[in-house]
Amino acid sequence: MISFTCYNVTDDRFSKFKNKGKDSAKRREKRIEVCVQLRKAQKDEEVCKRRNMSMSSVVDEEALSPEYISDEKVASLSIEDIIKEVKSSCRESQTRGCQAARKLLSQERNPPMKEIIDAGLLSCFVAFLGMDDEPSLQFEAAWALTNIASGTPWHTQQVVDHGAVQPFISLLTSPHLHIREQAVWALGNIAGDGPHYRDALIDCGVIPAILALTCSSLQVGYLRNITWTISNLCRNKNPFPPLSAVQQLLPCVTQLLHHSDQDILCDSCWAISYLTDGDNDRIDIVVKTGIVPRLVELMGHDELSVMTPALRSIGNMVSGSDLQTQMVIDAGVLAMLPRLMRHPKASVQKEAAWALSNIVAGPCKQIQQVITCGLLPLLVELLRTGDFKTQREAVWAVTNFTSGGTVEQVVQLVQSGALEAIIDLLQVKDAKVILVILEAINNMLLAAEKIRETEKLTLLIEEMGGLDRIEMLQNHSNEMVYQAAHNLIEKYFADVSELYNALQLSVTRV
Amino acid sequence: MATVAGKKAKKAEEEEQPAAAAAAAAEEEEEEEYVVEKVLDRRVVKGKAEFLLKWKGFSDEDNTWEPEDNLDCPDLIAEYMQKHKEKEEKKKEGKRKAASEASGDSEERGSKRKKEEGEKARGFGRGLQPERIIGATDSSGELMFLMKWKNSDEADLVPAKEANIKCPQVVISFYEERLTWHSYPTEEEEKKEEEKKD
């Protein structure tokens, strides 16, 4: 409690003070009450901080249920009452009604979006957006419309069709930070609906307006919203965002990638992942910003929410040209992969295996780098112990390796245990995977031929139980599988199973 | 040695086994000719194709690379190319984009977000009108006021710096309410205090 000592005062003024006339017991009581409130508010603030961006537990659970009638005068107006208030000509009523609508639309379960829309309130809210002399009203309307736009495509369409886009873009220059922030959020929801609205916003000039906000804003919460909305402007394909838009947004995104806040990093990485999820020209635009080393660094971030989109972005980039892949390798990706290939989360292992499969689809020089970094044993580990989706990616890695690798490299691959591991996988149900494995085996035999070790390899395959499996695959229901299996047998194992084949063929011809 | 031998590799059309035919043809000719038994590998050097050849009657240690132009064993080469054609095509398809395979059901980020009650909206960000300040604290290192808002029972903390600008009258009321008055001690009373301490 603060108190001041003051001298030289007249009785007149003294008698007007609040505490005059109250006994000390009452004043003490009041002080205690305020202290308790202060402590509670501080505790709640700390809880909010710890929970980061998640829904605050500060909010009274009771207040979320529709039956709750709080002391707040506007909490649970019926929609009818809301309509009356909002459509009145009195500013205070409008604010009360709009706030009540906002609260309903903010409730956790079943916000009455359709009812609000059917009540014809959207045009009122949109009109409120333009009332620069009534910032409270603007804010409530902006929030209400944000939440409606967060619904289904139909809901978002309602917001757009009622003309909200231009007013929201105008609000990006509001003198009030919380209103600008709300407009950013609403526009993010509209952009996130799909490429159509995204491009419509871009045509309305949303990008320069949003970029202008990033210059001055340092408040983390505000910047988080901006980053998320920017990521939605980068999002979606068919079509991709216009190249000019991407060129404008990228410098900002690359800057945000150097921020330390994890939510900002998360959404910035997602933005990059969207921009790199395309043909090599799109990847090129991103790679040229020089952001690759930072992305590789973020692959090692402690937070899954940051590491996942960083890994996706890198995975996208190594699906590009050999040159683009080399840049990613030069940035140190191979050193980051082991941890990810051993990550407790299966989807991380899978994406790491996918990225690796694309790296080894490159020239033998890049394959050599993979070997040098000790990734072969890890690949074999994934083949043996990964979940099926991971194993599938790992199988692709093996086949790509055998396709581009030199004979020496293929020998090393076989020696690492990969051949045995893929032979074990021949019993899976997925026909495509079987085909990929058979191709790998075929490539290995082609390599063996070059150094005249075909017999050695066929013997090895037989010892590993591969011959039996491949023979059985000649009966597989999938035509391509039995064809491929048959070709393999005929080319390399004919002398072993010639007789068997002859019998087999004569039977099936009937 | 290599260049001469390459020219001599021929195949008789009726024979099934090119190597054997070449051998048969070679037997009828001079003994210095060398016969290609098999084409093992292909590479491109300075824009020109070369093939790795296994020579009949020689061990693998004597395998050599020969320029394509010097060779006259089209069928052996055709056999090799056929075997490896599929492999070359597959190699170009080696890279697989995200949409096709890996990312199908992986993590994604929500495309839309609803703003819920109380979420991040604190202090002046809630857009409410200040009613009065009911307390103050500086335990966080910064002076904060506990603000009661109009039409709300939820009070929360706002930085004094912000409040001083946004609602100065409210701040002044707060300070005025808490002024406590002490009468100024006379000189005699001060001396008594000092004597007591001694």
Side-chain angles (χ1 to χ4, degrees):
Chain A
M1 273 303 288
I2 291 179
S3 73
F4 296 90
T5 49
C6 197
Y7 305 93
N8 195 18
V9 80
T10 66
D11 275 357
D12 236 351
R13 282 177 67 195
F14 190 64
S15 67
K16 288 189 182 129
F17 289 138
K18 199 170 182 185
N19 288 333
K20 165 98 175 139
K22 290 194 182 144
D23 66 16
S24 57
K26 268 211 180 118
R27 279 151 69 186
R28 195 189 312 127
E29 209 180 279
K30 186 105 182 106
R31 278 202 300 275
I32 290 170
E33 189 189 308
V34 173
C35 274
V36 168
Q37 274 179 327
L38 275 171
R39 259 186 272 134
K40 184 174 187 293
Q42 190 168 28
K43 187 200 90 185
D44 291 338
E45 184 130 46
E46 245 129 68
V47 170
C48 276
K49 274 190 203 146
R50 262 184 271 126
R51 292 194 187 189
N52 219 354
M53 266 181 97
S54 65
M55 178 66 180
S56 164
S57 69
V58 173
V59 175
D60 196 346
E61 289 299 328
E62 248 182 62
L64 294 176
S65 77
E67 292 79 41
Y68 175 70
I69 304 201
S70 77
D71 292 335
E72 295 176 355
K73 293 161 198 154
V74 294
S76 59
L77 287 187
S78 68
I79 304 246
E80 266 177 50
D81 290 336
I82 288 175
I83 298 174
K84 269 192 226 139
E85 298 275 71
V86 169
K87 292 193 172 171
S88 82
S89 50
C90 159
R91 286 285 188 259
E92 269 179 35
S93 302
Q94 289 170 341
T95 309
R96 257 201 310 274
C98 195
Q99 189 184 81
R102 177 266 287 177
K103 282 178 194 271
L104 286 180
L105 292 167
S106 307
Q107 71 196 25
E108 208 179 311
R109 294 221 191 97
N110 305 320
M113 296 199 217
K114 188 163 193 302
E115 290 86 320
I116 299 277
I117 294 170
D118 289 343
L121 291 172
L122 289 201
S123 26
C124 303
F125 294 164
V126 171
F128 295 161
L129 290 180
M131 294 179 182
D132 291 337
D133 50 343
E134 296 289 342
S136 296
L137 193 49
Q138 280 182 325
F139 180 64
E140 295 293 346
W143 187 338
L145 288 167
T146 297
N147 283 0
I148 297 179
S150 77
T152 64
W154 180 79
H155 290 123
T156 310
Q157 185 185 7
Q158 294 304 310
V159 171
V160 173
D161 285 350
H162 280 83
V165 167
Q166 206 52 65
F168 269 127
I169 295 183
S170 300
L171 284 179
L172 292 175
T173 51
S174 160
H176 305 275
L177 184 144
H178 64 288
I179 293 181
R180 296 198 299 272
E181 187 177 4
Q182 201 54 60
V184 168
W185 194 325
L187 291 166
N189 278 342
I190 296 172
D193 184 68
H196 176 63
Y197 282 153
R198 173 201 72 203
D199 292 344
L201 287 184
I202 291 174
D203 286 341
C204 288
V206 75
I207 293 182
I210 290 207
L211 292 180
L213 300 178
T214 57
C215 303
S216 54
S217 74
L218 300 166
Q219 270 201 39
V220 165
Y222 185 33
L223 209 49
R224 282 176 186 160
N225 265 311
I226 294 173
T227 310
W228 176 76
T229 293
I230 287 180
S231 79
N232 271 0
L233 289 168
C234 297
R235 194 170 183 163
N236 287 309
K237 314 202 289 191
N238 306 315
F240 281 100
L243 284 174
S244 56
V246 173
Q247 301 282 18
Q248 286 176 65
L249 290 168
L250 258 180
C252 186
V253 176
T254 51
Q255 233 186 327
L256 290 166
L257 272 169
H258 289 282
H259 206 282
S260 54
D261 178 73
Q262 114 196 10
D263 292 318
I264 291 175
L265 287 176
C266 165
D267 281 321
S268 306
C269 284
W270 279 113
I272 298 285
S273 78
Y274 305 144
L275 294 176
T276 51
D277 183 9
D279 64 25
N280 298 358
D281 294 331
R282 292 270 166 176
I283 295 176
D284 226 31
I285 298 171
V286 174
V287 165
K288 286 199 159 81
T289 63
I291 201 57
V292 173
R294 176 62 173 158
L295 283 166
V296 170
E297 193 189 337
L298 291 173
M299 272 171 77
H301 199 277
D302 291 328
E303 289 298 323
L304 198 60
S305 66
V306 176
M307 180 253 276
T308 297
L311 173 54
R312 174 75 58 81
S313 301
I314 294 291
N316 286 343
M317 288 188 208
V318 298
S319 77
S321 69
D322 291 347
L323 203 61
Q324 290 161 345
T325 304
Q326 190 59 50
M327 290 181 73
V328 176
I329 294 176
D330 292 343
V333 67
L334 296 178
M336 304 298 267
L337 282 178
R339 184 168 157 250
L340 301 179
M341 288 165 80
R342 291 208 166 110
H343 200 274
K345 197 150 193 272
S347 63
V348 174
Q349 287 190 355
K350 180 193 77 171
E351 298 247 332
W354 166 64
L356 183 60
S357 77
N358 275 334
I359 295 175
V360 297
C364 54
K365 178 176 156 237
Q366 291 176 353
I367 292 177
Q368 190 54 45
Q369 287 180 287
V370 167
I371 297 174
T372 310
C373 287
L375 292 174
L376 279 186
L378 289 169
L379 178 59
V380 174
E381 222 177 279
L382 290 181
L383 285 167
R384 288 202 193 119
T385 62
D387 78 343
F388 177 65
K389 288 184 176 142
T390 304
Q391 287 174 320
R392 180 165 54 191
E393 300 305 325
V395 160
W396 274 106
V398 171
T399 305
N400 289 347
F401 189 114
T402 58
S403 176
T406 63
V407 174
E408 291 77 27
Q409 290 169 338
V410 174
V411 167
Q412 278 181 278
L413 179 68
V414 171
Q415 285 171 344
S416 70
L419 175 56
E420 192 168 0
I422 61 175
I423 285 174
D424 281 340
L425 288 172
L426 276 173
Q427 25 117 8
V428 301
K429 300 266 189 290
D430 191 315
K432 180 66 178 163
V433 171
I434 297 175
L435 277 172
V436 177
I437 296 176
L438 292 178
E439 192 187 327
I441 296 176
N442 188 53
N443 289 344
M444 287 174 181
L445 288 161
L446 283 173
E449 276 188 335
K450 291 182 182 172
I451 49 172
R452 317 287 283 166
E453 289 197 0
T454 321
E455 262 186 49
K456 254 200 204 172
L457 188 54
T458 53
L459 202 59
L460 202 57
I461 292 172
E462 196 186 347
E463 280 170 15
M464 290 174 181
L467 180 54
D468 290 338
R469 293 226 161 115
I470 299 172
E471 275 175 350
M472 280 195 349
L473 286 173
Q474 289 176 119
N475 298 327
H476 199 274
S477 54
N478 182 298
E479 182 179 332
M480 289 176 74
V481 169
Y482 78 64
Q483 202 62 60
H486 181 66
N487 289 347
L488 256 186
I489 299 281
E490 219 167 62
K491 258 204 279 185
Y492 298 106
F493 300 93
D495 52 346
V496 174
S497 56
E498 203 172 34
L499 192 61
Y500 178 77
N501 270 352
L503 287 171
Q504 195 71 356
L505 282 171
S506 64
V507 170
T508 51
R509 277 208 187 99
V510 168
Chain B
M1 168 187 117
T3 335
V4 173
K7 284 183 185 153
K8 298 288 199 268
K10 288 183 181 141
K11 175 185 172 286
E13 280 177 24
E14 302 83 38
E15 301 290 329
E16 281 174 35
Q17 299 253 8
E27 275 168 15
E28 293 161 24
E29 296 176 20
E30 295 140 310
E31 283 176 338
E32 290 86 6
E33 289 161 9
Y34 302 97
V35 177
V36 178
E37 186 181 310
K38 191 165 182 180
V39 175
L40 294 172
D41 203 349
R42 181 178 181 273
R43 70 182 182 192
V44 177
V45 175
K46 290 178 185 170
K48 302 243 169 162
E50 292 180 358
F51 290 95
L52 181 65
L53 305 174
K54 164 74 171 64
W55 300 102
K56 185 161 173 59
F58 290 88
S59 73
D60 284 298
E61 282 162 7
D62 297 321
N63 292 348
T64 58
W65 285 97
E66 303 299 332
E68 186 176 25
D69 297 339
N70 289 2
L71 301 183
D72 191 18
C73 47
D75 288 309
L76 285 177
I77 291 175
E79 190 190 318
Y80 173 86
M81 292 306 282
Q82 186 54 45
K83 236 186 207 174
H84 290 78
K85 178 184 156 203
E86 286 167 8
K87 189 182 154 196
E88 280 304 309
E89 279 170 0
K90 288 279 161 59
K91 190 174 175 219
K92 282 172 216 155
E93 293 163 14
K95 301 275 190 181
R96 293 171 304 130
K97 295 286 179 187
S100 52
E101 316 264 347
S103 71
D105 50 327
S106 296
E107 317 283 326
E108 289 297 333
R109 183 85 171 109
S111 61
K112 293 178 184 170
R113 290 158 55 223
K114 181 173 133 236
K115 179 173 174 180
E116 294 187 347
E117 191 77 54
E119 181 185 313
K120 295 186 295 138
R122 283 195 296 277
F124 287 99
R126 294 167 63 192
L128 301 170
Q129 293 300 317
E131 189 180 297
R132 64 187 180 89
I133 297 169
I134 54 181
T137 174
D138 62 354
S139 52
S140 68
E142 188 193 344
L143 180 63
M144 307 285 284
F145 294 134
L146 183 64
M147 181 70 78
K148 164 82 173 68
W149 307 93
K150 285 183 185 159
N151 296 331
S152 170
D153 261 6
E154 292 164 32
D156 60 356
L157 292 170
V158 297
K161 282 184 196 153
E162 208 178 344
N164 289 347
I165 295 171
K166 291 193 170 161
C167 50
Q169 294 306 317
V170 173
V171 174
I172 289 171
S173 298
F174 173 70
Y175 286 132
E176 283 184 341
E177 279 169 19
R178 280 151 187 80
L179 290 175
T180 59
W181 304 112
H182 299 251
S183 54
Y184 204 96
T186 64
E187 281 183 24
E188 281 176 7
E189 283 169 351
E190 269 184 3
K191 275 186 191 161
K192 278 187 194 161
E193 287 293 317
E194 281 177 28
E195 279 161 21
K196 271 191 199 164
K197 282 172 196 165
D198 293 338

